[in-house]
Amino acid sequence: MASVLEPSDLQEIQNRVLKLETRIGRWRTLSLIALAGVAIFGFFITTGRVNVGKIRAHTFVSGDFRVVDEKGVFRSSLAASSGGKAGLSVLDRNGSLRAALFVDPDTGTGLILRDEEGNVRVEMSELADSSVGLALVAENGVSRVGMRLDPNGISFVSLIDSHGVTRTALTADPAGGAGLAIADSDGISRAAVSVNSGGEAAFRLFDHESAKRAEIFLEATGTPQLALLDENGAVRFILLDMKTLGFLDQDGVGRLVLGVGPSDAEGVGLFLMDRDGRTRADMAVGANGNPGIELYGQDGRINWKLP
């Protein structure tokens, strides 16, 4: 039985979520570093009022172009350094920094938007590896939505709760595959759905220990399959082609199979196997409606049959 969403696929989704969270954290770190660097070069000047009597509405100071309003309140700064860094800051009428745009040849390009309280609420970045990202931040500083497009064209969207735990992650790749993972309040993936480039779809459920417990997948031809697993990840029940039911032991050995032929007219059969998977008994009703029973020895030979 070929599964569409293998454990490695789910792990990849989880890894991508972690990478996205890390990236969001890096965006903020880069932003703060960039802001600090910009301050060193005079990009962002300490908020305050400018003495209008001594300077005009705009002036150059140490290579920094500053703008003040008619009341002398510092409103904007534009500057560039010899190291290739450049920055633009925009302040509101109260002198609070509300927007900052920076370019750094080592870290990339970023845009930061702040609310009236000075809290970062939006972060946009184009990083040195050519990936682009967006983070939407709550008032308490927790990133709640993260988006990223990596250099390979794979896109990611992460939804995060108020405690900073990623609860939902979506991804799509250029080849046509897409996936969705949903986590509980502890950040453990509990459900995942995916569609691959071949048109196969899968849905999986996991317990609180991240063990897969159920899987439904649909082949590209439209044939559905179902598997139920125990806490150790062993398949214990399987439904194939809507015509075959299988019950397996903890070692994955089929012990009981109930099957229906290619059509309703082809009969039905029940097969019992030993721990080695050898058929030891079968009961069947043939296409002509006649029943039959056969018992087998360990060597596979029929020991008894009826009729």
Side-chain angles (χ1 to χ4, degrees):
M1 179 183 65
S3 170
V4 176
L5 186 61
E6 296 300 327
S8 59
D9 297 323
L10 179 65
Q11 188 61 49
E12 177 63 19
I13 292 177
Q14 294 172 325
N15 289 340
R16 289 171 178 174
V17 174
L18 293 175
K19 288 180 181 178
L20 181 58
E21 288 183 307
T22 302
R23 184 70 71 185
I24 292 173
R26 183 184 174 194
W27 295 338
R28 179 170 292 112
T29 301
L30 292 178
S31 300
L32 294 176
I33 292 174
L35 285 174
V38 166
I40 294 174
F41 286 101
F43 288 12
F44 304 109
I45 309 302
T46 302
T47 301
R49 294 181 178 273
V50 179
N51 190 330
V52 183
K54 293 184 179 181
I55 65 172
R56 294 187 298 175
H58 56 78
T59 184
F60 288 96
V61 178
S62 300
D64 181 12
F65 179 73
R66 310 174 191 176
V67 177
V68 298
D69 62 18
E70 68 281 0
K71 295 182 179 181
V73 178
F74 174 47
R75 300 297 300 274
S76 182
S77 174
L78 174 64
S81 73
S82 58
K85 297 179 181 179
L88 168 67
S89 64
V90 179
L91 299 82
D92 62 20
R93 60 186 178 182
N94 297 317
S96 299
L97 180 63
R98 301 298 300 277
L101 173 66
F102 64 89
V103 177
D104 189 316
D106 297 322
T107 60
T109 303
L111 172 65
I112 302 172
L113 303 181
R114 298 174 179 265
D115 60 20
E116 293 182 350
E117 303 299 323
N119 302 310
V120 175
R121 303 302 303 275
V122 179
E123 297 172 325
M124 300 177 64
S125 297
E126 188 277 325
L127 301 178
D129 64 356
S130 297
S131 62
V132 293
L134 168 67
L136 305 182
V137 186
E139 292 182 353
N140 62 359
V142 176
S143 296
R144 300 296 302 275
V145 180
M147 302 180 186
R148 186 168 74 91
L149 178 63
D150 74 7
N152 298 316
I154 301 176
S155 57
F156 310 90
V157 177
S158 178
L159 304 181
I160 305 162
D161 66 19
S162 59
H163 301 290
V165 178
T166 298
R167 304 297 300 273
T168 304
L170 301 94
T171 181
D173 62 61
L180 165 67
I182 300 175
D184 60 20
S185 59
D186 295 321
I188 299 174
S189 294
R190 303 299 300 274
V193 60
S194 70
V195 178
N196 65 20
S197 58
E200 298 173 312
F203 175 68
R204 283 186 172 187
L205 297 177
F206 303 83
D207 63 20
H208 62 283
E209 300 292 338
S210 295
K212 181 184 66 174
R213 303 302 302 273
E215 178 181 33
I216 302 174
F217 61 94
L218 188 67
E219 298 178 353
T221 58
T223 302
Q225 299 182 18
L226 167 68
L228 302 180
L229 302 88
D230 63 20
E231 63 275 10
N232 297 316
V235 176
R236 304 300 298 272
F237 172 86
I238 189 169
L239 171 62
L240 300 173
D241 305 328
M242 299 297 292
K243 297 176 181 178
T244 303
L245 290 176
F247 296 84
L248 299 85
D249 62 21
Q250 61 185 6
D251 297 320
V253 178
R255 303 300 299 273
L256 185 152
V257 175
L258 175 63
V260 179
S263 67
D264 293 340
E266 294 299 324
V268 61
L270 174 65
F271 304 86
L272 304 178
M273 281 78 74
D274 61 21
R275 65 181 60 184
D276 295 319
R278 292 186 293 257
T279 300
R280 302 301 299 273
D282 69 61
M283 295 179 288
V285 177
N288 56 9
N290 295 327
I293 300 176
E294 294 181 341
L295 302 181
Y296 301 84
Q298 291 185 348
D299 58 3
R301 296 181 179 180
I302 298 175
N303 289 342
W304 183 85
K305 63 184 299 184
L306 181 72

